[in-house]
Amino acid sequence: MAAKGPQFNLDHEVVYGAVEQLSPMVRRVTAENPGKFTFQGTGTYIIGNGRVAIVDPGPVDTNHVEALLAAVEGETVTHLLITHTHGDHSPAAALLQEHIDAPTWGFGPHPIARPDPDAPIDPERGLGFGFDQEEPEPEQRSSDDGAEDTSPKHDEGYQAADANDWDFSPDEVVTHGQVIDGDGWSVEALHTPGHISNHLCFALREELSMFSGDHVMGWSTTVIPPPDGSLNSYLDSLQLLIGRNETVYHPTHGAPITDPQQLVPALLAHRKARTEQILACLNDGLATIKDIVLRMYTHVPKELYNPAGASVMSHLLALHEIDKVHCSDDEPGPRSLYTLTG
Ligand SMILES: [Zn+2]
């Protein structure tokens, strides 16, 4: 089987609405929106003391907004820092701004247009990989690769179009490498597209820590949802972090990551190993996502075939982008035929 994958940490207990002091300059308040993409919920961070920044205010949830306002009572919020425009990260910024006078800082508005709610549903779109109900039940999951295959279930974001904050537009547009100075704190913004093209990480220079958003999480791999997600960009954005001097990452979901310079290369290696497996399938003449999933994911239960298909598709799109793979259709889709070039 594949080499040992990234070591995920599922040990994360939170008290919703409470203020948790994580370091001299960082506090966290967690929203009660646990789920298969959000783990225990959205962790909203407060940076500094007295004149503070809030990182990712969170989902539309008045209880969470009230908890945040209580957490900063007697203080002044000077900045709202936004890692990206998913529905569990940015929407509460607008709710906070009804109470406080702080601008939002982000890379840009949501990168894709809001879908037309009146548009007819195209049955060919989405997860139509063509798995049959009669597909044979997989063999029992073997113990040696259990950890490896926990990842595809988190790739179901493929279709979660309602998980987007269509309305967000930053008051202050942040560029890669920009340093944002607060009162006693400063963060360096890193543009880290992949999960979504407007993703930023914020490095807190005084504590050598990083707010890593959904780019690097300690509990799970990151979803690369089409059409805006890009595996090639994601890999570049992981590479960008290697060799940096931050010693702790604070992801939006899950516990602090205390070994980022081990985890980030492991995440990179994990995706590269997947790419190699897919290239081997293509080399053996498998041409559909369905057939590749049935070959590669023999030990996962059937209900994970579609998310596994979404993961395979993100790799094929990445290989197509760099001309390593031909596609039978102009626009690569879930039922296209894929072949190696050259
Ligand atoms: Zn996200």
Side-chain angles (χ1 to χ4, degrees), residues 84 86 88-89 195-196 199 214 253:
H84 66 294
H86 279 154
D88 52 327
H89 293 255
H195 172 65
I196 183 171
H199 196 288
D214 285 357
H253 310 288

Side-chain angles (χ1 to χ4, degrees), residues 241-261:
L241 303 182
I242 291 179
R244 288 185 61 94
N245 62 2
E246 289 81 18
T247 54
V248 177
Y249 286 5
H250 299 296
T252 300
H253 310 288
I257 297 162
T258 54
D259 58 351
Q261 290 304 323

